[in-house]
Amino acid sequence: MNNNINLKLPALEVGQILDALYLRMEAWEYTEEYLNTGQIHEPYCVEECSSAYEARRIADYYKEIIQSIEKQVGFLSR
């Protein structure tokens, strides 16, 4: 079921939510990179998943959420 929820938040709070979503997306992108290369870079940790493909799908899902929020509030994509 795909229900929409309308929230009314101060712009600063929306910015904080976007910052957190970007961090999650980057963590999953890093996990994908690690699973593909086997190399670890500080300060990220590797998320638990079954494959690089799964990590990419999760990162892409975060990206979709970010883009949806930015489009609704008029932010330019990073």
Side-chain angles (χ1 to χ4, degrees):
M1 190 177 292
N2 192 11
N3 296 327
N4 288 325
I5 297 174
N6 295 315
L7 302 173
K8 187 173 182 177
L9 299 169
L12 182 60
E13 289 179 11
V14 173
Q16 293 296 316
I17 291 168
L18 285 169
D19 285 347
L21 290 169
Y22 269 104
L23 289 173
R24 297 302 303 141
M25 180 185 72
E26 290 168 359
W28 283 103
E29 288 173 339
Y30 174 75
T31 299
E32 177 195 20
E33 179 184 340
Y34 167 74
L35 292 171
N36 283 327
T37 67
Q39 296 188 16
I40 296 176
H41 306 282
E42 295 290 334
Y44 292 108
C45 64
V46 176
E47 299 295 336
E48 187 174 330
C49 65
S50 61
S51 67
Y53 174 76
E54 181 184 10
R56 169 54 31 207
R57 288 190 50 179
I58 295 169
D60 287 345
Y61 183 60
Y62 275 102
K63 185 175 184 177
E64 289 175 23
I65 295 168
I66 290 165
Q67 289 174 338
S68 177
I69 293 171
E70 287 180 339
K71 180 179 177 184
Q72 291 178 52
V73 296
F75 287 136
L76 298 176
S77 296
R78 288 186 181 186

